[in-house]
Amino acid sequence: MSDDRFPAEPAPAPAPRPDARSDDRGELRALAAPRRLAVDEPVFTAEGLPGAFRLQLFTAPGARPVAVATQIAGEEGMGLMNGVERYAGAVWERYCPGQDVPPVWVERQLWPEGAPQDPSFRRVTFAGADGYRPKGPRWRAITHEELQALVGTEVAAGRGDGYVPCPVAPEPRLVFEEFAVARLSRPEPFREPGCMPAGVRWWRRWTRQVLPDRGARTCCWYHGGDWHKVSAMALDVLRRARTQRVEADDMERFAVAHAAAAGATGWDTRALATLFSIADAIQPDSETGYINGQHRSQALLEAGVRRTVVLRHVYEP
C-alpha cells in the first residue's frame, strides 16, 4: 500500500524548489471534493497509542477521506509529529479499514502563546505502509483556506468545546539538567534511512565521542548546525539560570536572550530554544526511551556531543 503519488519533502526542510508550491496546489486540486464532516471526536485515542487528539474526518462517496488532527502540545501525550505513523494508522484502521491507502492526513499542533514553533496546518504524505501502519512521512504546509477547499466545507482550527483536560494529577517539578549524551537511549523509529538511520549503535556513539563531527548538512534541519556549539551554550545558560534562580517556565526566554546577546545565528538560537522549551525539550524516559526529542538526540549522538541539557519531570514525595 502506498501514498507515493504525491512527492514528499522532509520537515523541517530546506527551502523548496521554485515550483514546489505549484505542485502542491495541483495535488490539492486533484484531491478536492465536496465532503461532509463524518466524525468530530474531541479526544481520539486507541489502545497502545501514546497520546490523544481531536479528530475531524471528512468523507464523500468515491473521494479519499481527509483526517484533520489537532492537539495541544504538552497536554495530550506524544506530539503529532513524533506519533504521526501510529496516529494516522489508528484512524485508518478504525474509520477507513476498506481503503487501500491511509486518509489524507493533516495535523495542527497548538503551542503555548508566544512559543516560537509554527502552529500552522501541515499535510503529511507517506511513502508506504505495513498493514495499517504508514511509514516514511513527509510534511508540507497547507493553509486553512486550502484545507477547506480540499474538503469542500468548514474545518475547525481549534481544539473544540468538547475537549476536557485530563483530571489534574500531582504536578511534577520541571527540572532542566545536564545529561551525558552517550547515556541517551537509542532513538527509534526514525524516518530518514539515509539522513537518520534507526538509532546509533553503541560502538558508533563511543567512536563519535573520540572523533566528534562538527559539520553541518543540508539534508534536514536537525543536521543543519553545530550541536557542540549549541550544547555548550545550553550548559552555560543552565549555569547562569541556576545562579539567577530562573524558573523552568522562563528558561526558553532566558536562553533566547542569552543567544541574542552572544550574537548567535538563527539556527543556533532556534536549536537552543528547543532545548529549553517546556513543550519541546529533549525528555528521556526510563520506560519508553523518550517522551520527546528523538531527532535531536540522533543528531547529538551522530555529532559526538558529550553533554547537553534535557528536561526531567520530578515528582516530589
Side-chain angles (χ1 to χ4, degrees), residues 96-276:
C96 316
Q99 298 285 323
D100 292 334
V101 294
V104 176
W105 189 261
V106 178
E107 60 186 33
R108 186 181 188 218
Q109 193 78 63
L110 301 175
W111 300 92
E113 185 176 354
Q117 291 86 354
D118 184 3
S120 302
F121 286 101
R122 294 190 297 174
R123 181 166 66 98
V124 185
T125 59
F126 298 99
D130 293 324
Y132 287 111
R133 176 65 66 86
K135 60 184 181 180
R138 299 289 187 275
W139 288 259
R140 53 181 55 185
I142 180 172
T143 68
H144 193 195
E145 293 73 21
E146 289 172 332
L147 175 57
Q148 295 191 138
L150 170 66
V151 302
T153 188
E154 183 177 349
V155 179
R159 193 57 186 79
D161 295 335
Y163 172 61
V164 178
C166 294
V168 177
E171 285 289 331
R173 184 165 56 92
L174 302 180
V175 178
F176 287 100
E177 64 181 26
E178 185 174 343
F179 196 84
V181 174
R183 291 180 49 221
L184 288 169
S185 298
R186 179 173 177 172
E188 57 181 350
F190 276 91
R191 302 149 177 161
E192 309 292 341
C195 172
M196 287 197 167
V200 179
R201 297 184 182 278
W202 66 268
W203 58 266
R204 186 179 178 190
R205 66 174 64 194
W206 289 113
T207 299
R208 280 299 183 203
Q209 294 287 301
V210 178
L211 300 171
D213 180 6
R214 294 178 177 271
R217 301 184 232 162
T218 60
C219 53
C220 71
W221 180 84
Y222 302 101
H223 287 129
D226 185 351
W227 283 105
H228 292 270
K229 179 181 177 182
V230 170
S231 291
M233 291 175 61
L235 295 173
D236 187 30
V237 167
L238 187 62
R239 287 188 288 269
R240 291 170 183 264
R242 286 175 175 170
T243 300
Q244 299 180 39
R245 299 182 181 277
V246 179
E247 296 292 332
D249 288 337
D250 298 321
M251 285 294 293
E252 185 175 357
R253 287 189 292 272
F254 185 78
V256 170
H258 176 83
T265 67
W267 189 93
D268 290 348
T269 300
R270 182 181 174 192
L272 182 68
T274 69
L275 294 180
F276 287 104

Side-chain angles (χ1 to χ4, degrees), residues 40-115:
D40 188 357
E41 194 165 339
V43 183
F44 177 91
T45 191
E47 184 177 356
L49 281 190
F53 51 90
R54 179 184 185 178
L55 171 66
Q56 298 174 82
L57 185 68
F58 299 87
T59 63
R64 189 173 169 195
V66 176
V68 180
T70 312
Q71 185 195 64
I72 300 174
E75 290 189 14
E76 302 184 70
M78 182 176 285
L80 293 173
M81 182 177 182
N82 284 339
V84 65
E85 296 98 335
R86 281 176 276 185
Y87 293 154
V91 172
W92 183 10
E93 184 173 13
R94 180 179 298 178
Y95 289 116
C96 316
Q99 298 285 323
D100 292 334
V101 294
V104 176
W105 189 261
V106 178
E107 60 186 33
R108 186 181 188 218
Q109 193 78 63
L110 301 175
W111 300 92
E113 185 176 354

